[in-house]
Amino acid sequence: MSEFVKVANTDDIPVGKIKGFEIGYNRFVIAHNDEGFFAVADECSHDSAPIRDGRLRGNEIMCTRHGARFDLKSGAVTAPPALVPIETLEVKVEGNDILVRLED
Ligand code: FES
């Protein structure tokens, strides 16, 4: 089962920043760009590097280990060497709260 859980305040993650979280079995990052807040799994699909060490470029997040890029909204690969998408998580903002749909 999954439910929305408050994970941060909007002020915690300025535009252009990425922040990693571990809540229960859920390991993910929240990225903040001009379009809002997005959450993806904190594991690159290429060689398991932490995505929290990555860089945000517009609507893409880049894994710094080998340079793979992923679309923040869909998790799709936008640049190799990764071949497999990364998981995305649902995010919503209520007031100053960032909520993410997490598995129990
Ligand atoms: S581990 Fe991310 S690009 Fe290789």
Side-chain angles (χ1 to χ4, degrees):
M1 203 173 121
S2 63
E3 61 182 328
F4 279 101
V5 175
K6 179 188 172 183
V7 298
N9 292 319
T10 53
D11 294 343
D12 296 338
I13 312 168
V15 174
K17 296 295 183 187
I18 300 166
K19 187 167 183 177
F21 295 87
E22 286 184 42
I23 299 177
Y25 295 110
N26 301 275
R27 203 162 60 95
F28 58 97
V29 302
I30 296 179
H32 188 189
N33 68 11
D34 291 339
E35 295 190 34
F37 294 91
F38 300 91
V40 297
D42 187 21
E43 184 174 0
C44 181
S45 63
H46 175 240
D47 194 24
S48 303
I51 294 289
R52 68 182 63 197
D53 296 336
R55 292 203 193 108
L56 191 56
R57 300 245 171 103
N59 288 325
E60 296 176 340
I61 193 162
M62 183 183 80
C63 175
T64 50
R65 185 174 289 177
H66 306 109
R69 294 183 190 193
F70 302 91
D71 183 288
L72 275 177
K73 292 180 184 172
S74 67
V77 177
T78 54
L83 300 171
V84 177
I86 55 174
E87 180 191 359
T88 59
L89 294 83
E90 273 185 82
V91 178
K92 65 181 180 181
V93 175
E94 292 180 350
N96 293 324
D97 297 339
I98 303 172
L99 299 95
V100 177
R101 186 186 289 277
L102 301 176
E103 300 295 325
D104 288 342

